[in-house]
Amino acid sequence: MSFKNIVREMKEMKDGVGSISRRGVEGKHWRSRPRSHIAPDLAAPSQPIEQGQWANLPPELLLDIIRRVEESMTSWPARTVVVFCASVCKSWRDITKEIVKPLEECGRLTFPISLKQPGPRDAPIQCFIKRDRTTSTYCLYFGLTPLAAEDQSDKLLLAAKKIRRATSTEFVISLVRDDFSRASNTYLGKLRSNFLGTKFTIYDSQPPNDAAVQHNSFLSRRFHSKRVSPRLPAYNNSAATVSYELNVLRTRGPRRMQCIMHSVPVSSIQEGGAAPTPTSFPQIIEKSSPRLVSKGKEPETYFSSPNLSSFGEPLVLRNKAPRWHEQLQCWCLNFKGRVTVASVKNFQLVAAFDPSLNIPAAEQEKVILQFGKIGKDIFTMDYCYPISAFQAFAISLSSFDTKPACE
């Protein structure tokens, strides 16, 4: 059979791949939602997979087929074929996991875990955010421009919903735009503000690496919640803190912000440094420990403190200072054409470092995250190593909250 025929047959499997999800999302439930172009993650499903005729291919031939598919399908939506390869059977899935490299190395978004991995070093991942004021939702799309956003198939990366509370504001982040429950398998984390909207905490649903979360040493606070899945307590790890400087004198000017990345060490931007790179989502535990979920009690949510001893000093990001343009009479930053509308929300983040650290000159001025307005309720977001799409999206969401004390 020719290579083209193999690819054609894999495309015909499109209706059946929804049942194979890394996080237990059933096919019928998955297909009923607006489809994200980030496909289900790779892992052994809870139910045994029926091995078909494709499972008996010689390993050498199978390796060559999947490698050729991965190298040829570099952009979306064509890259969904790579996901179809991982959804055929266990042997195909294992080889696909071996071939598809982390986002930092290949620069290609493929599976949902790519959204938790640090971006590429050479070029930023370019995305845009659409805000829906009526539903208080924010959708992150992959692409240069929002022109193709009308066709929402195979483009959605992340979605967030703004929830106002008495003393704070929360942005719940999910893989889909119609389910923001922490009991859902699509829940990734959240962003929570303080009362004044000057400090935000980013909570991640999983640790920054693949190490198992230890109940006795890693957890610092817990409370009961009816929204948490009874199969697995929802962990909210403090991944980062975003702080906005108070504007006491009410002087006109851009916002000043600082981000402390608890889950990213400052050594990641030094020579030979590396950022934590998760390779899979936490396994769903069917039989929870009686100590964690007792019979007759509500399941619990756990908030953990960052374990800085295992990462060293955290990476600190600061907003790049703009310059005053005399002719335009406004503050300006060079967004290289990615931002076209003046807004107090626009910012660029660079690393704030100690001069004693061995930080390369190229890293000192490198823009790690930039966010800005290009139209009504449309914003661009570009990020790169060492932060992930989830972290970049959460930081950008903090700019949407009202900050009367900072402006």
Side-chain angles (χ1 to χ4, degrees), residues 206-226:
Q206 69 178 101
N209 51 34
D210 293 330
V213 179
Q214 299 296 328
H215 173 69
N216 292 331
S217 62
F218 204 21
L219 305 178
S220 62
R221 184 163 63 94
R222 65 184 181 182
F223 64 91
H224 295 289
S225 173
K226 295 182 179 181

Side-chain angles (χ1 to χ4, degrees), residues 27-320:
K28 181 178 179 181
H29 180 58
W30 185 266
R31 290 193 298 272
S32 64
R33 293 174 173 170
R35 292 180 8 175
S36 167
H37 85 281
I38 294 293
D41 191 19
L42 303 177
S46 57
Q47 299 296 331
I49 303 174
E50 182 179 353
Q51 302 290 335
Q53 58 179 348
W54 295 101
N56 299 322
L57 287 178
E60 296 80 5
L61 176 61
L62 183 57
L63 182 66
D64 180 65
I65 291 174
I66 299 179
R67 179 179 288 115
R68 290 171 63 184
V69 170
E70 199 275 337
E71 292 175 353
S72 59
M73 307 299 178
T74 59
S75 60
W76 291 93
R79 197 160 176 79
T80 52
V81 177
V82 180
V83 181
F84 299 157
C85 291
S87 304
V88 173
C89 60
K90 185 178 184 301
S91 59
W92 284 60
R93 181 171 56 258
D94 294 340
I95 292 181
T96 305
K97 288 180 62 177
E98 177 184 346
I99 292 176
V100 176
K101 302 300 181 183
L103 179 61
E104 178 187 346
E105 299 179 25
C106 67
R108 301 167 187 169
L109 294 166
T110 308
F111 303 103
I113 196 60
S114 302
L115 302 174
K116 292 291 188 74
Q117 296 175 346
R121 294 176 182 261
D122 300 333
I125 298 292
Q126 296 178 317
C127 315
F128 61 91
I129 298 173
K130 292 191 69 178
R131 174 176 57 182
D132 189 337
R133 296 176 184 266
T134 58
T135 59
S136 298
T137 56
Y138 304 81
C139 293
L140 177 68
Y141 294 91
F142 175 71
L144 295 175
T145 64
L147 297 178
E150 300 301 328
D151 178 16
Q152 297 179 351
S153 173
D154 295 339
K155 293 178 178 65
L156 180 68
L157 298 182
L158 293 170
K161 185 174 181 63
K162 185 176 183 179
I163 303 174
R164 295 187 181 275
R165 304 193 184 280
T167 59
S168 64
T169 301
E170 287 189 357
F171 293 84
V172 181
I173 303 175
S174 173
L175 286 171
V176 294
R177 67 173 67 89
D178 58 353
D179 188 355
F180 296 98
S181 170
R182 289 204 303 270
S184 171
N185 291 318
T186 60
Y187 171 77
L188 293 184
K190 66 180 180 180
L191 175 75
R192 174 185 288 176
S193 75
N194 63 357
F195 178 73
L196 294 177
T198 58
K199 186 176 180 180
F200 297 79
T201 304
I202 300 174
Y203 294 102
D204 198 337
S205 62
Q206 69 178 101
N209 51 34
D210 293 330
V213 179
Q214 299 296 328
H215 173 69
N216 292 331
S217 62
F218 204 21
L219 305 178
S220 62
R221 184 163 63 94
R222 65 184 181 182
F223 64 91
H224 295 289
S225 173
K226 295 182 179 181
R227 294 179 294 174
V228 182
S229 171
R231 293 184 299 172
L232 179 68
Y235 290 94
N236 278 316
N237 302 278
S238 179
T241 303
V242 184
S243 302
Y244 288 83
E245 184 178 320
L246 286 171
N247 188 0
V248 180
L249 300 178
R250 309 296 293 177
T251 56
R252 297 189 63 183
R255 295 172 177 171
R256 295 180 177 88
M257 61 187 297
Q258 183 185 71
C259 304
I260 302 177
M261 311 301 297
H262 301 302
S263 58
V264 182
V266 68
S267 60
S268 62
I269 61 174
Q270 294 178 326
E271 290 287 350
T277 305
T279 57
S280 62
F281 287 104
Q283 293 285 345
I284 296 178
I285 303 175
E286 295 292 344
K287 295 182 180 179
S288 300
S289 169
R291 186 176 181 181
L292 299 182
V293 181
S294 301
K295 185 177 181 181
K297 293 184 179 181
E298 294 292 342
E300 299 174 337
T301 300
Y302 297 91
F303 284 83
S304 63
S305 301
N307 188 1
L308 297 181
S309 61
S310 60
F311 291 104
E313 290 296 323
L315 174 67
V316 178
L317 305 178
R318 60 171 178 84
N319 66 305
K320 191 173 183 180

Side-chain angles (χ1 to χ4, degrees), residues 254-258 317-323 331-336 346-352 364-370:
R255 295 172 177 171
R256 295 180 177 88
M257 61 187 297
Q258 183 185 71
L317 305 178
R318 60 171 178 84
N319 66 305
K320 191 173 183 180
R323 62 180 179 85
W331 297 96
C332 295
L333 280 171
N334 182 14
F335 289 95
K336 299 182 179 180
N346 301 347
F347 66 82
Q348 288 180 330
L349 294 184
V350 296
Q364 297 179 13
E365 294 299 324
K366 178 182 176 181
V367 176
I368 296 176
L369 169 63
Q370 74 174 20

